[in-house]
């Protein structure tokens, strides 16, 4: 494994870390716009095409399964050749899937829709995997901040995307496509741009430089001190707990979020209102990263994980207790849902980063994101069935209760490592 550098000084590592974050921030701005399309209108397309509410969670399940497969591929490719090609190709594949979804709505083809949604999921996985690129060259005591910095740029595109549902629908109709295809047209352009930026600009590759950094310092004399000297060498138990935090946060968020547009349409909320709710929800998923990363570094992922569980519980209760006609109640619930997911994601990712050894870090991260996506897919599918049988309120209450698993889980984390 080689880089463009023969040796790396601390000053060079800091400079490369800043450059990596800049490139990741730029790509994530576009990546967020691509991510929002499936969240905003995927369930509505399925409901219209299949004619049933029970299967409206299928799009989320499909693109989440696609994301699961992509996550493990990105992890393995990164382990072999670095993050640049792995992340870049992942985004471009997501863009091609978005084009397929738009064509499927025009052809009214469920088969093409399902295949395209699966491929579209590559963009979702890549968007999440990019958060690890920000940690490769970060000091051990700044991992949370690096994760959140890589995530926060997603906010711009992710918030804008859902709020462009109506104008994008008009654009799609002008092109001879159904209105709901509009957000996927945006996703196609955004994902392909994100991938192109990473392939072109993420040089030298942060993962290969980080590997070289670790190898370089492994050969130095005993007792020599550098920034990461006290970084944990690896803790499988910490990794498992971090993975559980990630999975529970994802399951609760996906299960409630997927059915919210269906719930709102049942109470005659406009598409503009749906876009507003999902836009603010997605903003709450990503924008708090400005603060959650530094907070995790300051007070530790143990306490912030407990806060995540309580926030997700509050989201479920507010959603259940708010009248269906109340736009304000749905807004508050979905903002809390996004915030709880954000805190859980940053906390869980920090636990995983601290618990993994550099030699196997990328492959482990990819494997964890597979389960993260698979359980999210299951939540997306089962949420439609559960809602059709029991109603939206029961679905959200069960989600809030499930989130409380995070509290006993984090109490089992090794205290000496975080």
């Amino acid at each position: 494994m080689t880089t463009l550098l023969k040796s790396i000084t601390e000053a060079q590592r800091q400079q490369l870390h800043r450059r990596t974050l800049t490139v990741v921030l730029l790509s994530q701005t576009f990546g967020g716009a691509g991510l929002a399309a499936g969240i905003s209108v995927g369930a509505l397309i399925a409901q219209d095409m299949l004619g049933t509410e029970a299967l409206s969670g299928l799009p989320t399940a499909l693109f989440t399964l696609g994301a699961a497969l992509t996550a493990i591929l990105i992890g393995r490719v990164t382990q072999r050749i670095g993050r640049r090609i792995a992340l870049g190709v992942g985004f471009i594949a997501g863009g091609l899937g978005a084009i397929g979804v738009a064509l499927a709505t025009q052809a009214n083809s469920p088969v093409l829709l399902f295949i395209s949604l699966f491929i579209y999921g590559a963009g979702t996985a890549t968007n999440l995997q990019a958060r690890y690129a920000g940690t490769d060259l970060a000091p051990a005591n700044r991992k949370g901040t690096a994760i959140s910095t890589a995530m926060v740029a997603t906010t711009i595109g992710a918030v804008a995307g859902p709020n462009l549902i109506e104008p994008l629908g008009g654009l799609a109709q002008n092109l001879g496509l159904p209105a709901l295809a509009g957000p996927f047209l945006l996703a196609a352009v955004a994902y392909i741009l994100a991938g192109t930026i990473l392939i072109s600009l993420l040089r030298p590759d942060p993962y290969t430089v980080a590997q070289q950094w670790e190898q370089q310092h492994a050969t130095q004399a005993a007792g020599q001190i550098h920034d990461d000297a006290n970084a944990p060498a690896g803790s499988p138990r910490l990794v498992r707990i971090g993975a559980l935090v990630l999975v529970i946060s994802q399951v609760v968020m996906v299960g409630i979020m997927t059915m919210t547009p269906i719930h709102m349409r049942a109470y005659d909320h406009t598409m503009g209102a749906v876009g507003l709710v999902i836009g603010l929800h997605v903003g709450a998923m990503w924008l708090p990263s400005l603060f959650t990363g530094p907070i995790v570094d300051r007070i530790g992922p143990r306490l912030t994980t407990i806060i995540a569980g309580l926030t997700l519980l509050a989201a479920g209760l507010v959603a259940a207790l708010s009248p269906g006609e109340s736009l304000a109640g749905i807004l508050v619930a979905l903002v809390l849902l996004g915030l709880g997911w954000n805190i859980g994601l940053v906390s869980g990712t920090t636990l995983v980063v601290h618990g993994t050894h550099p030699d196997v870090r990328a492959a482990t991260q990819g494997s964890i994101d597979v389960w993260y996506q698979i359980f999210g897919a299951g939540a997306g599918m089962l949420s439609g069935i559960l809602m059709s049988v029991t109603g939206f309120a029961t679905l959200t209450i069960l989600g809030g209760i499930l989130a409380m698993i995070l509290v006993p889980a984090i109490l089992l984390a090794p205290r000496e490592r975080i």
Side-chain angles (χ1 to χ4, degrees), residues 217-230:
H217 283 272
T219 61
Q220 293 181 345
Q224 184 171 354
I225 299 174
H226 58 89
D227 278 359
D228 285 350
N230 295 321

Side-chain angles (χ1 to χ4, degrees), residues 96-121:
L96 296 176
I99 293 173
V101 172
L103 294 176
T105 61
Q106 170 67 16
N108 195 33
S109 170
V111 173
L112 179 58
L113 175 68
F114 298 157
I115 294 172
S116 299
L117 284 167
F118 186 83
I119 299 171
Y120 167 78

Side-chain angles (χ1 to χ4, degrees), residues 212-264:
Q212 182 179 343
W213 171 265
E214 295 291 338
Q215 293 168 5
Q216 178 177 310
H217 283 272
T219 61
Q220 293 181 345
Q224 184 171 354
I225 299 174
H226 58 89
D227 278 359
D228 285 350
N230 295 321
S235 169
R237 183 179 170 195
L238 198 62
V239 171
R240 287 193 294 269
I241 293 172
L244 181 63
V245 173
L246 291 170
V247 166
I248 294 296
S249 300
Q250 176 77 344
V251 166
V252 175
M253 188 278 293
V254 170
I256 296 175
M257 175 272 297
T258 300
M259 289 299 103
T260 297
I262 306 299
H263 172 68
M264 292 181 68

